[in-house]
Amino acid sequence: MNSHASSRRAISVAAVLLVFTTFAQAGPPLICHPIDIGQAKTLPWVDFNYHKGSGGYDLKNLTRDTLAILDSNPSVLVRMETLRRATIYARQDPQVAKELLTRLHARAANSDAGNFGALAWFDVGYLAETYKQWMGKGEPNPAKSFDGYGWVRKAISLRGSDPEMEFAAALIALSGSERDRNDHVEKAMVGAKADPLLAQNLASRFNRQTIAKTLTYRSAEESR
């Protein structure tokens, strides 16, 4: 790879990282940034402004409904949106939150090292990290001692190349190592060239700006 190509790639990655940082300032990204999943099935729509109650959803069905969707083998993006919505609901009832996390953890621990195992570890890891971002201080949080990011990285190692998992890991890694985050972002961007829905998510609007707009702006700044 020549120096110009390396420079362009570095600029693009830096621009996306800037947007990820903006996500963090705008609110918990795993909760406040909906994932575009097209027409795929997930949990019913929720409004995270519901601080009390569950917006009409019967919480006793949450674990069953979430597992039914995850076990239907949807894409990683669908898993991300499903677990985001599940977390918004689960916060309303500590017992439900614990039950869902416990079931997903047991499911992963009892899985093999194949594709199902990778997805199972991703699910419990991503859920643990959404809990950490959404459960307030002083609230019961069954994921408090869990390394969700570590489990997502384990999922990536088991599954192999998966740009959507890299996208998820990049969002989680906002508060972690810049080197790790950079690596996840770069792999997600490369993979998005063959994944239109991932590309759409990378270009989605959050906090009044799109990733695509930021990329254009940063590239223009660097070329001056």
Side-chain angles (χ1 to χ4, degrees), residues 132-146:
K132 289 179 183 179
Q133 290 194 10
W134 194 230
M135 307 294 185
K137 291 183 178 180
E139 292 183 61
N141 186 350
K144 186 177 181 180
S145 62
F146 286 170

Side-chain angles (χ1 to χ4, degrees), residues 90-160:
R91 187 179 181 183
Q92 313 305 322
D93 188 323
Q95 286 302 115
V96 170
K98 183 177 180 179
E99 177 191 23
L100 177 59
L101 185 65
T102 299
R103 287 286 298 277
L104 289 189
H105 188 227
R107 175 171 166 266
N110 293 325
S111 66
D112 57 26
N115 185 59
F116 176 76
L119 293 172
W121 282 112
F122 175 84
D123 293 340
V124 68
Y126 198 80
L127 182 71
E129 293 302 321
T130 59
Y131 275 18
K132 289 179 183 179
Q133 290 194 10
W134 194 230
M135 307 294 185
K137 291 183 178 180
E139 292 183 61
N141 186 350
K144 186 177 181 180
S145 62
F146 286 170
D147 180 12
Y149 175 58
W151 288 338
V152 169
R153 292 190 62 163
K154 176 177 181 175
I156 292 172
S157 69
L158 289 173
R159 189 167 170 84

Side-chain angles (χ1 to χ4, degrees), residues 39-217:
Q39 300 301 311
K41 179 182 178 181
T42 186
L43 293 170
W45 172 245
V46 296
D47 183 349
F48 59 77
N49 290 316
Y50 280 108
H51 296 294
K52 294 183 179 180
S54 55
Y57 181 76
D58 191 343
L59 292 177
K60 72 180 182 181
N61 298 325
L62 183 62
T63 297
R64 182 197 67 190
D65 292 349
T66 301
L67 281 167
I69 294 169
L70 298 178
D71 287 343
S72 69
N73 198 32
S75 72
V76 171
L77 293 176
V78 173
R79 307 179 99 83
M80 292 168 69
E81 179 61 13
T82 299
L83 294 168
R84 183 185 81 91
R85 297 186 184 197
T87 298
I88 294 169
Y89 279 136
R91 187 179 181 183
Q92 313 305 322
D93 188 323
Q95 286 302 115
V96 170
K98 183 177 180 179
E99 177 191 23
L100 177 59
L101 185 65
T102 299
R103 287 286 298 277
L104 289 189
H105 188 227
R107 175 171 166 266
N110 293 325
S111 66
D112 57 26
N115 185 59
F116 176 76
L119 293 172
W121 282 112
F122 175 84
D123 293 340
V124 68
Y126 198 80
L127 182 71
E129 293 302 321
T130 59
Y131 275 18
K132 289 179 183 179
Q133 290 194 10
W134 194 230
M135 307 294 185
K137 291 183 178 180
E139 292 183 61
N141 186 350
K144 186 177 181 180
S145 62
F146 286 170
D147 180 12
Y149 175 58
W151 288 338
V152 169
R153 292 190 62 163
K154 176 177 181 175
I156 292 172
S157 69
L158 289 173
R159 189 167 170 84
S161 177
D162 190 318
E164 293 183 1
M165 278 194 185
E166 299 288 355
F167 174 53
L171 290 174
I172 294 171
L174 275 168
S175 59
S177 163
E178 182 177 349
R179 169 189 263 178
D180 289 341
R181 187 166 65 251
N182 192 321
D183 184 54
H184 294 312
V185 171
E186 182 174 352
K187 290 176 180 176
M189 289 179 61
V190 170
K193 295 176 182 178
D195 186 337
L197 197 53
L198 174 58
Q200 192 168 319
N201 275 281
L202 283 167
S204 60
R205 182 172 293 277
F206 190 74
N207 196 35
R208 303 179 183 177
Q209 194 167 26
T210 65
I211 292 178
K213 181 177 180 180
T214 301
L215 285 171
T216 302
Y217 172 78

